[in-house]
Amino acid sequence: MSEPSIFFSEVNERQGAFHRRSFLLGGFAGVGLLALGGRLAHLQILEAQRYQKLSASNQFNFRLVPPPRGLIVDRNGAVLATNRPNFRLLVVKDGEHEPGETLKTLAHFVPLDEARQERLMREFERTPNRTPVSVMEDMTWEQFSAINVRAPEMPNVTADMGEVRVYPHGGAFAHVIGYVAKVNREDLTETGPNSEPILLHPGFRIGRQGVEKAFDLDLRGRTGAKKVEVDARGREIRNDTDGDIPAAPGKTVELTLDVDIQNRALEVMGDESGAIVVMDCRSGDLLCMVSAPSFDANRFVRGLSTAEYRALADYERRPLLDKAMSGTYPPGSTFKMTTALAALAAGINPEERIHCSGGWRFGGRTWRCWRHGGHGAQNMHDAIKNSCDVYFYQVALRMGPDHIARAAKALGFGQAFDIGIPGQRTGVVGSTEWKRTQVKRDPTWHPGDSVSYGIGQGYITANGLQLAVMTARLANGRKQLNPRLIKSVGGVEMPPGDEVPNLPFSQEHLDYVRSGMIAVANDRSGTAFRQSQLGLGDVLMAGKTGTAQVRSYDGVANRDSRSVRWGLKDHNLYVAFAPIDQPRYAISVIIQHGGLGGATAAAPRAREVMRVALLKDPEIRARIIQPMPLPDVTDLPPVGVAPEGAVVAPPPLAPGEPT
Amino acid sequence: MTMSALSRPGERDRLVVKFTQIDWTFAIALCLLAGTGALMMFSVAGSSWEPWAGAHLFRFGFCFVLMIALALFDVRVWFALAYPIYGIGLLLLLAVEFVGDTRMGATRWLDLGFMSFQPSEVMKVGIVLALARFYHGISAEDARLSWWLIIPALMIAAPVLLVAHQPDLGTAMLIALTGAAVVVLAGLSWKVIGAAVISFVAAVPIMVMFVLHEYQRKRVMTFLDPESDPSGSGYHILQSKIALGSGGFFGKGYGLGSQSQLNFLPEKHTDFIFATLAEEFGFLGCALVLALFAAVIFMALRTASLAHSHFGRLAAAGVTATFTLYVLINGAMVMGLAPVVGVPMPLLSYGGTVMLTVMIGWGLVQSVRVHRYTEVTSGKGAFV
């Protein structure tokens, strides 16, 4: 301002107005900036803690980690279901990258054909943003590393290692254990264990059948969490291992089954359709429960293709059906022990002989015995040994159905057992009461119904499990044994099957019927003598054959099943227990539409499976493997009545005496 | 250099003398602000000059040289070019209306072949020049209240309506407020100001309901209740507040801002760079930067008050008003006090167009300073 002339010449009204107004502008700017400063102080000093929390909840995230699913093991700890590492390829829809483009890129590294890409695109449409979709499971190490090397270029792609369920024995346990599969929309619930967020994890699997389904919650374990630093798109930046919550693995479920017996049972079934059940006659534990043909449960874990599913579902021998529990069949002649017990209980004298001439006329028709020429005069023991139909026709007719039904129920027919897994069909146990209430078109019990009932045809059906239970109860001779499949869950023992009341039959009657079964397998004239030789020294098997017809023989010239198509062939059955002196194991074998006889199709299979069961038993092995007896021992005890623990000399290979 | 030397005839026109008359303190303040911007861009890019920090410094360097060059132009050149620049700006806006490029639903760009360009930016300086030129020619009495004032009203309304129609509400509002600032600085009657403010306040709800586009209305609504939709349109404001607040007094430390580094903060290097700064340097860093802005504004206002010509005074103050509006609007937006309108923080934010506009404006201010004793002659009403 050293130039007053210039200064004063410009002093005018306009300049004065401007100066006042520019002070105002300065004031406005100052107030504005101070207001911003005040706001900053409010946010950064007063509310800093609140925003620091919000910032941390943005920055850190807990990622759910699916717990390792619990193991399923057999009675000796052999693993039946476990988990193995799985290299998985996940793509997340982040709203920034086009999933279709990503899939095209990925197709260079992993096999992803057009059809699979289309299926995945539909899945992308269904899944919400930021939820990963599994594009491929079970990549090879090469594929996994190829993807990982290129991961920085594909921010919406993750290749990680998860776990996948594996069933090392493939089909042998498929029906009992079931399988796990991806979670469906229908599985999710609003509350309860199926509402947990872990179910939405792409690696999570839910139990679908059998033990996997029934014990799903025990097997699941406790979900863990991984503390990760994430960016705004939800991608992991860093893992804060100190903040991790470890996942607790699921409980181990121990079954009573035995892997060797089970595998052998499936093996001997070959191409046949049917079921084999082995039960411990003292404890009730189920050692084997096989249904054939079976399927590979591992395929279900990954998800079946439609073609694979159709192939399984359309096959006439129905691999998906559990024939041991869900298939019911007429027991045929294996029912004759039940009829015999009922007759004894009803007061019929077992020594009374009934003449069999190969047929019996009753009610306007001829009821044929399986043996054309007839058996001659038969008492009850002979009738069981020879499986004489005529004898049982007449006995059944004489006592009526209700006696038979009572005995059948006491032996386990018509009953679903609490073995821990669902799916048993109870079958039918006929009685006058049952027919009155259940058969609408013909509610009266006709005498002819009793006749076929006596030989296990007509209003009587059973599943493989029930036949095994019946045999085990007969073999046990005292207790009304219940089967047990689940030995323990998470180390907690399940209730055993032998804490049960006694059978409502007299010991004498039970012994009588058992002696008939022993004769079937050990008397040279028994129906299954040749097929029942175990070849294990004095350890002998008792059994009963059965052949159940599935078509009417009326007007059929040739009863031989060999000439008709599979679906019309007879069912072949065999029930057995061993050893005959101190029964340990009971077995039932059903060969659906086997078309031969019970002795031919079923008994040899029962023998093979029984051998495995016996040879695995240390007590039995001790009996078979023993030092040669001293030569001066002359007093050979009779076969089958050796007192427990006695040193027994090896008996003749084929026992000659019928018991 | 003494004042007496400047008063010697001919001395003031020497280039070296002009050079020394530039406000170098002011220039250093600008460099500090631009440098802070580059520092933050370096941080959010993960300690890298690419892609923003290097480009930002390069642009600033170029614009800084341009500012010095423009400061050496005689203020009478600016005076002579005032109406032509405004006229060209208006023509370009009309051109956008008919042949403009449409991007993201708004027609704002002119494709010049080698670059695209927003004519609305020219108008930010153009409106200041044209109004200063106009008020230079009329008396204080006329500037207070007279029929002459229809002319500045039309001068403001024409570009504002054209820009609003693009639609670019933020820029239209900035041009309108800049024009209004010059009109007020020139000495508009308080009665008119009062009436205008009252009618504006009354018009706002009507504007919101009927004139605004859907996305603009949504922004305003979200502003009023940002936490109602935290993952939708309230996301920007909420994340910005979290970034600010979590910075606390001392900040999280350079390069350690989780909100900006992990991309929770949107537009972390452009419109929301102040939040990035606040997160990493806390209240302390923010206060320093705001103080720098205050210094820049007050130095520019001082320059305006030194000018002998009415044109120079109004032009310099008008540019300062624009700058102040930028700072206050962006600050209010980042702190959740104003809707998200897409106004960057001058010098801090990444973006070439705004940098260029602001630095041309400061070139004009420095020209006014360098030529503060220059007499600008014109007759009353000589606006043609």
Side-chain angles (χ1 to χ4, degrees):
Chain A
M1 306 304 142
S2 55
E3 289 285 334
S5 63
I6 293 167
F7 185 72
F8 285 116
S9 76
E10 284 295 322
V11 173
N12 57 28
E13 213 188 328
R14 284 201 308 194
Q15 191 186 13
F18 172 80
H19 276 178
R20 286 193 297 279
R21 294 286 166 96
S22 72
F23 270 120
L24 221 69
L25 175 59
F28 171 75
V31 169
L33 288 171
L34 278 178
L36 291 186
R39 173 69 172 175
L40 273 176
H42 177 76
L43 290 174
Q44 298 193 292
I45 298 170
L46 293 180
E47 294 203 310
Q49 279 194 321
R50 179 178 157 228
Y51 286 112
Q52 272 154 9
K53 264 185 211 146
L54 286 172
S55 165
S57 76
N58 266 345
Q59 185 182 1
F60 295 105
N61 227 327
F62 281 99
R63 288 288 154 89
L64 295 180
V65 176
R69 202 171 165 84
L71 300 182
I72 302 177
V73 298
D74 87 340
R75 61 170 178 161
N76 298 316
V79 172
L80 307 178
T82 180
N83 310 299
R84 65 172 167 77
N86 167 26
F87 294 122
R88 201 170 45 187
L89 184 56
L90 304 173
V91 172
V92 67
K93 196 166 67 168
D94 57 3
E96 210 171 304
H97 298 82
E98 178 56 42
E101 292 298 313
T102 309
L103 290 182
K104 284 204 182 68
T105 317
L106 289 174
H108 297 301
F109 309 115
V110 293
L112 279 177
D113 56 22
E114 296 279 322
R116 177 127 182 82
Q117 287 185 27
E118 266 171 47
R119 265 229 308 276
L120 286 164
M121 283 312 292
R122 280 199 296 278
E123 203 173 332
F124 275 116
E125 276 158 36
R126 270 181 283 128
T127 33
N129 267 349
R130 297 185 191 187
T131 303
V133 169
S134 166
V135 168
M136 202 177 151
E137 304 271 332
D138 264 332
M139 288 189 292
T140 62
W141 172 252
E142 284 75 21
Q143 290 166 338
F144 177 71
S145 38
I147 299 278
N148 260 344
V149 163
R150 288 163 183 85
E153 300 152 34
M154 299 182 287
N156 55 339
V157 173
T158 1
D160 71 353
M161 202 183 82
E163 283 197 323
V164 69
R165 195 65 155 167
V166 60
Y167 304 102
H169 295 284
F173 293 87
H175 296 98
V176 174
I177 290 182
Y179 48 87
V180 294
K182 280 187 184 167
V183 178
N184 284 339
R185 204 167 289 267
E186 296 81 55
D187 298 321
L188 303 174
T189 52
E190 290 291 317
T191 53
N194 278 3
S195 64
E196 284 179 22
I198 188 68
L199 267 76
L200 298 174
H201 193 284
F204 189 84
R205 293 289 181 276
I206 192 167
R208 274 275 176 269
Q209 291 282 328
V211 174
E212 292 275 27
K213 184 182 185 180
F215 293 88
D216 193 37
L217 296 185
D218 293 302
L219 290 165
R220 267 187 208 177
R222 205 185 62 227
T223 303
K226 194 166 76 161
K227 190 182 179 191
V228 289
E229 191 175 349
V230 293
D231 71 1
R233 264 180 281 149
R235 262 190 302 141
E236 291 182 23
I237 305 297
R238 255 189 305 279
N239 183 7
D240 176 9
T241 38
D242 292 339
D244 286 357
I245 301 166
K251 292 176 187 165
T252 297
V253 173
E254 192 184 8
L255 305 185
T256 58
L257 298 180
D258 185 295
V259 69
D260 295 319
I261 304 173
Q262 185 90 357
N263 275 331
R264 183 69 178 135
L266 185 65
E267 204 171 81
V268 300
M269 285 305 288
D271 289 338
E272 294 294 347
S273 168
I276 298 182
V277 180
V278 176
M279 191 166 152
D280 189 308
C281 302
R282 294 198 290 209
S283 67
D285 284 356
L286 292 167
L287 299 178
C288 163
M289 189 149 75
V290 152
S291 173
S294 191
F295 57 90
D296 185 357
N298 293 305
R299 315 258 354 160
F300 281 74
V301 177
R302 255 196 267 172
L304 286 184
S305 69
T306 317
E308 281 176 309
Y309 181 75
R310 285 257 63 88
L312 286 173
D314 292 346
Y315 184 35
E316 103 183 298
R317 301 194 180 185
R318 302 185 64 189
L320 298 179
L321 177 76
D322 183 358
K323 297 181 186 84
M325 298 197 310
S326 308
T328 56
Y329 308 91
S333 300
T334 58
F335 191 67
K336 283 173 182 163
M337 285 80 78
T338 313
T339 313
L341 266 180
L344 290 169
I348 290 173
N349 179 6
E351 294 311 320
E352 178 190 336
R353 288 188 179 268
I354 292 176
H355 186 77
C356 168
S357 59
W360 175 55
R361 278 207 66 83
F362 172 75
R365 55 167 285 194
T366 300
W367 300 78
R368 293 202 163 275
C369 185
W370 67 271
R371 186 167 189 172
H372 237 62
H375 290 100
Q378 299 279 300
N379 66 6
M380 191 181 280
H381 180 87
D382 294 340
I384 294 174
K385 181 185 82 179
N386 298 324
S387 199
C388 176
D389 291 337
V390 169
Y391 178 90
F392 285 101
Y393 289 147
Q394 298 190 29
V395 167
L397 178 67
R398 210 187 301 168
M399 66 182 151
D402 294 344
H403 280 97
I404 303 176
R406 213 174 300 131
K409 283 178 177 158
L411 288 172
F413 288 99
Q415 189 183 340
F417 302 99
D418 178 19
I419 58 170
I421 60 172
Q424 291 174 61
R425 283 186 55 203
T426 55
V428 165
V429 176
S431 65
T432 47
E433 171 71 14
W434 174 84
K435 200 173 179 198
R436 197 167 52 73
T437 53
Q438 301 297 317
V439 186
K440 289 282 175 299
R441 62 188 156 74
D442 182 18
T444 30
W445 187 276
H446 303 292
D449 295 337
S450 296
V451 174
S452 51
Y453 198 1
I455 61 157
Q457 296 273 170
Y459 296 120
I460 176 76
T461 57
N463 60 37
L465 178 62
Q466 286 166 345
L467 290 178
V469 170
M470 168 199 81
T471 315
R473 284 179 181 180
L474 285 175
N476 182 283
R478 206 165 65 240
K479 285 180 177 170
Q480 211 162 356
L481 280 183
N482 277 329
R484 181 173 80 153
L485 178 67
I486 311 297
K487 193 172 173 193
S488 70
V489 175
V492 179
E493 188 83 11
M494 301 302 267
D498 60 355
E499 287 171 5
V500 284
N502 286 342
L503 285 165
F505 303 114
S506 80
Q507 200 64 48
E508 193 189 336
H509 294 166
L510 283 165
D511 289 345
Y512 189 90
V513 170
R514 254 206 328 262
S515 77
M517 287 178 75
I518 292 169
V520 167
N522 296 291
D523 193 316
R524 284 186 182 279
S525 61
T527 51
F529 170 72
R530 276 187 303 114
Q531 294 85 356
S532 302
Q533 299 312 309
L534 293 169
L536 298 177
D538 69 340
V539 177
L540 301 173
M541 184 162 84
K544 180 72 194 81
T545 55
T547 299
Q549 66 187 63
V550 291
R551 54 179 175 147
S552 171
Y553 285 158
D554 293 345
V556 172
N558 185 4
R559 290 186 176 192
D560 194 334
S561 272
R562 272 173 293 192
S563 58
V564 295
R565 66 174 178 83
W566 183 76
L568 293 177
K569 291 181 199 287
D570 297 336
H571 298 315
N572 302 133
L573 303 94
Y574 192 64
V575 298
F577 64 84
I580 55 172
D581 45 355
Q582 298 154 36
R584 286 286 289 136
Y585 303 111
I587 184 170
S588 75
V589 176
I590 299 173
I591 307 296
Q592 191 186 18
H593 305 302
L596 301 166
T600 322
R605 294 188 160 97
R607 180 187 66 204
E608 287 311 308
V609 176
M610 186 60 92
R611 273 172 60 91
V612 178
L614 292 169
L615 285 169
K616 279 207 83 174
D617 187 322
E619 281 179 40
I620 305 289
R621 255 209 325 272
R623 265 178 71 176
I624 302 164
I625 308 165
Q626 54 184 294
M628 286 299 284
L630 295 173
D632 61 3
V633 173
T634 50
D635 188 19
L636 291 178
V639 167
V641 292
E644 199 168 355
V647 177
V648 183
L653 205 67
E657 302 294 310
T659 33
Chain B
M1 185 69 52
T2 62
M3 286 299 176
S4 58
L6 277 179
S7 62
R8 225 177 294 138
E11 183 69 21
R12 291 178 199 151
D13 297 331
R14 286 179 57 199
L15 215 56
V16 178
V17 176
K18 280 189 179 185
F19 205 72
T20 59
Q21 288 306 304
I22 289 170
D23 188 345
W24 290 106
T25 321
F26 177 83
I28 288 167
L30 295 185
C31 292
L32 285 176
L33 283 171
T36 307
L39 191 70
M40 295 327 298
M41 287 167 206
F42 186 79
S43 163
V44 292
S47 296
S48 164
W49 294 105
E50 298 287 324
W52 306 305
H56 185 73
L57 281 184
F58 180 79
R59 280 178 193 161
F60 177 73
F62 173 78
C63 291
F64 189 80
V65 172
L66 181 69
M67 177 186 84
I68 303 296
L70 291 176
L72 303 179
F73 276 89
D74 195 305
V75 77
R76 280 169 297 195
V77 176
W78 287 102
F79 185 81
L81 289 176
Y83 286 141
I85 290 174
Y86 176 82
I88 289 168
L90 212 54
L91 283 175
L92 288 173
L93 280 179
L94 278 170
V96 166
E97 191 66 28
F98 296 109
V99 297
D101 250 15
T102 304
R103 297 183 200 165
M104 297 182 289
T107 314
R108 296 174 190 174
W109 286 267
L110 266 187
D111 193 352
L112 301 184
F114 62 95
M115 65 175 286
S116 4
F117 159 79
Q118 287 193 50
S120 53
E121 290 297 322
V122 175
M123 228 34 196
K124 285 177 186 165
V125 179
I127 190 74
V128 171
L129 282 172
L131 287 171
R133 168 78 177 83
F134 172 78
Y135 278 106
H136 184 85
I138 65 169
S139 69
E141 192 58 34
D142 287 343
R144 218 172 63 76
L145 188 61
S146 73
W147 288 109
W148 287 111
L149 297 185
I150 289 174
I151 293 166
L154 290 174
M155 280 169 135
I156 298 169
V160 167
L161 290 177
L162 282 171
V163 172
H165 190 249
Q166 287 176 358
D168 185 352
L169 200 73
T171 309
M173 188 181 68
L174 263 175
I175 295 172
L177 286 172
T178 306
V182 178
V183 172
V184 171
L185 284 164
L188 184 67
S189 156
W190 281 113
K191 286 176 190 163
V192 180
I193 297 171
V197 168
I198 289 168
S199 54
F200 177 74
V201 168
V204 164
I206 299 165
M207 287 270 291
V208 168
M209 292 322 289
F210 301 108
V211 183
L212 293 189
H213 281 250
E214 183 58 39
Y215 83 96
Q216 294 167 332
R217 186 159 38 236
K218 204 171 166 194
R219 276 185 184 175
V220 175
M221 291 303 178
T222 326
F223 161 68
L224 295 174
D225 186 12
E227 267 135 86
S228 66
D229 183 14
S231 60
S233 28
Y235 183 78
H236 286 42
I237 293 177
L238 189 65
Q239 295 301 334
S240 176
K241 279 165 78 177
I242 292 174
L244 280 161
S246 64
F249 190 82
F250 293 107
K252 293 178 182 170
Y254 185 60
L256 299 175
S258 57
Q259 286 286 107
S260 48
Q261 303 287 345
L262 300 175
N263 292 324
F264 288 101
L265 189 63
E267 308 287 337
K268 58 189 178 182
H269 61 291
T270 58
D271 289 2
F272 285 88
I273 195 158
F274 191 79
T276 307
L277 173 90
E279 187 182 24
E280 297 197 348
F281 290 119
F283 181 72
L284 212 59
C286 289
L288 282 173
V289 168
L290 286 183
L292 266 178
F293 275 119
V296 165
I297 289 165
F298 288 111
M299 281 188 270
L301 274 182
R302 168 96 183 124
T303 298
S305 69
L306 285 179
H308 286 200
S309 66
H310 200 52
F311 170 76
R313 277 196 285 266
L314 284 177
V319 169
T320 312
T322 315
F323 186 82
T324 309
L325 285 169
Y326 266 117
V327 174
L328 294 184
I329 291 174
N330 180 272
M333 173 181 94
V334 165
M335 297 175 203
L337 296 170
V340 177
V341 282
V343 173
M345 189 61 105
L347 299 172
L348 286 186
S349 290
Y350 183 80
T353 320
V354 176
M355 171 84 81
L356 192 66
T357 313
V358 166
M359 293 304 281
I360 289 174
W362 289 139
L364 172 56
V365 171
Q366 289 308 306
S367 170
V368 169
R369 184 184 161 86
V370 169
H371 306 97
R372 58 186 178 277
Y373 302 122
T374 307
E375 295 290 339
V376 176
T377 51
S378 78
K380 173 178 177 175
F383 55 88
V384 182

